[in-house]
C-alpha cells in the first residue's frame, strides 16, 4: 500500500480501492482459510487486531473476505469501516447454535432477520427498529444453497446475543424455540442495523455447530468435530457464491450520519 492511499482509522482498509461485495467471518484463521483454500489470487491487505482482510477472486469474481472477531462491539467497527471503504454488500458467514432439532450440526441457516439482544445496536436506534436482511442477499444465499444437494438448510429468524456463557439471569432459549427462532449467534443483528442505517445490503448464513438443548443437557460444547468443519466449508462456499452473484448490482452506500 503506497503512502498516498487513504485508509480507515482502525482496520486500515484502503478507501475506494475495494470490491463492493464482502464476506465477513468471526475468526481471522477462517478468513485465512477462505483466502488460501477457496479463493484464487488472494493477498492480505490489512491485519490489525482481530481484523484481517484479504482480497481475492472466487470463480473469477473479485471479492474481499474479512474477520470481525467475536461479539457486537468489535464487529460493528469492522462493518462500519468496510462501508467507509466503499463496500456495499456484506454477507456474514458464521457459526451458531440451533433451537430446532431439524437443523443439527453441519446444517445451514439463512437469517431473514435477527432478534436484537446484542447489547450494541440499542445504542444506535430504538429496540423497535427491526434488524432485517436485504431481500436480494437472502435470495442469493437461498439460490446458492440450492446448488449444494448435500446441504440441509433453513430460512428464518435468528437471535443475536451479546454474551456466550450464561450467568445468574439464565437465558431465553425455550422462549426463542417456542417463537420459531431457528438459531442463536452474536453479530448478525448489529450487521443488519448498521446496513440499514448506512444504506447498504447485508445478509447472514450460519453453520450449526451445536443443538442448544442437547448441549444444555450434556453440558458439552464440541464445535471442532469433522461434521462441523465440513458444514463450515459448505457455508463458506454458499456465502462466496452469493456474494459473487450480487457483484454489479450493489447500491451506492449512503453513509448516513445517525448522530
Amino acid at each position: 500500500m503506497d503512502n498516498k492511499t487513504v485508509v480507515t482509522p482502525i482496520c486500515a482498509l484502503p478507501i475506494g480501492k475495494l470490491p463492493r461485495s464482502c464476506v465477513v467471518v468471526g475468526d481471522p484463521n477462517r478468513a485465512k482459510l477462505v483466502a488460501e483454500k477457496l479463493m484464487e489470487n488472494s493477498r492480505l491487505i490489512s491485519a490489525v487486531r482481530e481484523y484481517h482482510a484479504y482480497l481475492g477472486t472466487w470463480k473469477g469474481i473479485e471479492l474481499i473476505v474479512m474477520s470481525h472477531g467475536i461479539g457486537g462491539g468489535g464487529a460493528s467497527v469492522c462493518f462500519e469501516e468496510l462501508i467507509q471503504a466503499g463496500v456495499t454488500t456484506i454477507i456474514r458467514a458464521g457459526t451458531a447454535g440451533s433451537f430446532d432439532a431439524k437443523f443439527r450440526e453441519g446444517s445451514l441457516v439463512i437469517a431473514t432477520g435477527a432478534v436484537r439482544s446484542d447489547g450494541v445496536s440499542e445504542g444506535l436506534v430504538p429496540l423497535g427498529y427491526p434488524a432485517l436482511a436485504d431481500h436480494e442477499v437472502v435470495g442469493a444465499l437461498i439460490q446458492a444453497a440450492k446448488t449444494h444437494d448435500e446441504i440441509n438448510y433453513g430460512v428464518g429468524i435468528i437471535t443475536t446475543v451479546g454474551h456466550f456463557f450464561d450467568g445468574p439471569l439464565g437465558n431465553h432459549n425455550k422462549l426463542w424455540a417456542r417463537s420459531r427462532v431457528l438459531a442463536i449467534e452474536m453479530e448478525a443483528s448489529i450487521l443488519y442495523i448498521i446496513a440499514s442505517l448506512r444504506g447498504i445490503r447485508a445478509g447472514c448464513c450460519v453453520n450449526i455447530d451445536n443443538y442448544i438443548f442437547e448441549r444444555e443437557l450434556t453440558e458439552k460444547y464440541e464445535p471442532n468435530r469433522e461434521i462441523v468443519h465440513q458444514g463450515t466449508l459448505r457455508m463458506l462456499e454458499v456465502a462466496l457464491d452469493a456474494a459473487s452473484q450480487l457483484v454489479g448490482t450493489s447500491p451506492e452506500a449512503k453513509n448516513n450520519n445517525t448522530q
Side-chain angles (χ1 to χ4, degrees), residues 136-197:
E136 291 178 326
V137 181
V138 171
L141 287 167
I142 293 171
Q143 182 178 342
K146 286 181 177 179
T147 67
H148 295 261
D149 293 337
E150 72 278 18
I151 293 181
N152 175 41
Y153 76 93
V155 181
I157 298 169
I158 64 174
T159 185
T160 300
V161 296
H163 64 280
F164 186 85
F165 296 101
D166 292 336
L169 291 177
N171 60 59
H172 300 292
N173 293 340
K174 291 181 179 178
L175 169 64
W176 299 136
R178 289 196 300 270
S179 303
R180 299 181 65 82
V181 172
L182 297 182
I184 181 171
E185 52 83 76
M186 299 181 71
E187 295 89 15
S189 65
I190 301 124
L191 172 59
Y192 288 176
I193 292 298
I194 289 172
S196 293
L197 294 177

Side-chain angles (χ1 to χ4, degrees), residues 22-43 52-58 63-67 91 93-94 229 232-241 243:
C22 176
V23 172
V24 294
V25 298
D27 185 357
N29 287 325
R30 186 168 296 156
K32 183 178 181 181
L33 170 70
V34 174
E36 294 184 351
K37 303 297 184 183
L38 298 178
M39 299 175 80
E40 296 181 342
N41 307 313
S42 63
R43 60 185 177 93
H52 292 199
Y54 296 84
L55 188 65
T57 59
W58 171 254
L63 301 171
I64 183 171
V65 59
M66 184 171 179
S67 58
I91 298 177
H229 176 65
T232 295
L233 290 175
R234 291 192 295 266
M235 170 195 66
L236 292 169
E237 291 181 352
V238 166
L240 290 165
D241 280 344

